[in-house]
Amino acid sequence: MAAALPISGLTAWQALFDHAHLTTGQTVLIHGAAGGVGSIAVQLAREVGARVIGAGRADDRDVVLGLGARTFLDLDADDLRGVGEVDVVLDVIGGDILARSTELVRPGGTLVTIAMPPTVQPKDGRAVFFVVEPDRARLTDLAERLRAGRLNPIVGDVRPLAETAAAFARHRRTPGKTIIQVTDEQGAQHS
């Protein structure tokens, strides 16, 4: 469980709070809400009192709602514009979803993406692309939330080191964070 936290947790925190400045009462749309970053972002946003709209594939609906999203948007079947304007969009998908999300950002709002630099800016808002930065103090805070049961990362799959390339193939999608196991069951390290 703890292996799923560092990069995903820091990325979710920095996106929502350091870059988008999400606060209580705001509305946030989180694309990829059942994934490693998205699932943690849903929980963090809910904890600060934001209204959370989770987006993903239909199969992820129950997981995302179970994490605390108020509503769910099926990116394959639902009209993205149906959510109305939001204060923050967190995008982990990129491409067409990122481009279409710019029109959802209300004036003064922020679109934050980790997928790719945005080519379109929200009208009267801003778009931010970033790469996660190390932050020991924040990581300690996230670990404390995990220990207290306030944060529950989703481990989607645990694969051996030899299957690393296959585990992250573009066509392969699993909810949660994929973990690569570097040791065998007895604790011996692979060379």
Side-chain angles (χ1 to χ4, degrees), residues 91-179:
D91 171 66
V92 300
I93 299 171
D96 184 51
I97 297 294
L98 172 61
R100 290 188 299 143
S101 293
T102 60
E103 66 188 61
L104 303 176
V105 178
R106 69 176 37 115
T110 306
L111 183 148
V112 180
T113 181
I114 61 169
M116 59 193 286
T119 57
V120 182
Q121 295 285 319
K123 183 181 179 189
D124 300 322
R126 58 190 191 99
V128 176
F129 167 75
F130 82 101
V131 176
V132 67
E133 295 283 333
D135 185 335
R136 184 177 181 178
R138 180 58 54 209
L139 192 54
T140 300
D141 173 65
L142 291 168
E144 188 55 41
R145 290 168 192 261
L146 176 71
R147 280 190 288 277
R150 293 171 33 214
L151 190 59
N152 297 300
I154 297 173
V155 176
D157 200 5
V158 178
R159 306 285 295 269
L161 184 60
E163 296 179 19
T164 299
F168 294 103
R170 279 207 155 295
H171 69 279
R172 189 174 185 288
R173 298 193 187 270
T174 59
K177 180 76 173 164
T178 298
I179 305 297

Side-chain angles (χ1 to χ4, degrees), residues 19-108:
H19 295 288
H21 310 291
L22 182 69
T23 61
T24 302
Q26 290 187 319
T27 300
V28 58
L29 170 61
I30 301 171
H31 294 307
V37 172
S39 62
I40 293 175
V42 167
Q43 295 171 74
L44 291 172
R46 183 205 64 220
E47 187 177 51
V48 299
R51 179 177 175 263
V52 181
I53 302 167
R57 282 191 241 47
D59 292 347
D60 298 331
R61 178 182 306 275
D62 291 341
V63 169
V64 173
L65 294 173
L67 291 170
R70 183 177 291 175
T71 56
F72 180 82
L73 177 71
D74 179 344
L75 289 173
D76 294 324
D78 297 334
D79 183 358
L80 197 57
R81 293 173 301 212
V83 302
E85 289 187 329
V86 298
D87 299 291
V88 175
V89 173
L90 171 54
D91 171 66
V92 300
I93 299 171
D96 184 51
I97 297 294
L98 172 61
R100 290 188 299 143
S101 293
T102 60
E103 66 188 61
L104 303 176
V105 178
R106 69 176 37 115

